[in-house]
Amino acid sequence: MSPRHARVLLVSFGVAAAVDLVSLAVGFTPGHLVAKPLLMPLLAAHAVVRGGPRLLVAALLCGWGGDVLLLSDADPAFLVGMASFAAGHVCYLLLFRGPDAPHRPPHVRGPSAWLGGAYVLALVVTVTLLWPDLPAGLRIPVAGYSLLLTAMAAASTRLGPVAGVGGALFLLSDTLIATGVADWPQLPRPDFWIMLTYAAAQFLLVSGVQGTLGAHTAAGAAYGEMRSTTP
């Protein structure tokens, strides 16, 4: 497919995200129920058209599974939805740290030790504070999920600031969900803020991966051209 198809899919994702956010802001539940399940399939289709890695597409589709399941308020659906998101984080981790991980552009520095320490501290503090207020049956699953999510967010910084911000926003979005499960005081329209940070997170992760792959491809092409002109 042409770049035009990729742009159409990306615009469609933006429209669906806008409809979802406006619906949440005004309390129009049918709009949310229709728009939310469209987000990740549209973004995944965009990634496919752009030639994105399979692990990226798999992570987005796992997110779609979680999105659909979390439309239900039932505890079993929440647990299965969390497992679906966890599978997506595994895909992201393999993409960011595996042997076929996109190479970071030369001008982008890797994550510093203090940033990794900050993520570890955030994990410990968040789980410690949430633990007493979480339902007993969700404490271990939430703690395990939080560990996986934090590892993904930290690993995303390997691809540069765009993906790094995406990972951080994903962590923020799911922390907002966890505080709701723990029955902590919430911002007005909490679902709006959850979806705003989540949609932005997935978009930035996709953009970061594609930008890194594009930079690597361009560098490889330039190197090949240089070699071809060298006697």
Side-chain angles (χ1 to χ4, degrees), residues 62-63 65-67 69-70 75-87 145:
C62 287
D67 289 343
L69 287 162
L70 263 59
D75 286 345
F78 179 83
L79 285 170
V80 178
M82 186 164 58
S84 185
F85 278 118
Y145 177 82

Side-chain angles (χ1 to χ4, degrees), residues 96 102-105 107-111 115 153-167 204-205 207-209 212:
F96 299 154
H103 296 284
R104 185 173 59 246
H107 64 280
V108 176
R109 294 183 178 181
L115 183 57
S156 69
T157 61
R158 294 166 58 91
L159 271 64
V162 174
V165 172
L204 289 173
L205 286 169
S207 299
V209 171
T212 302

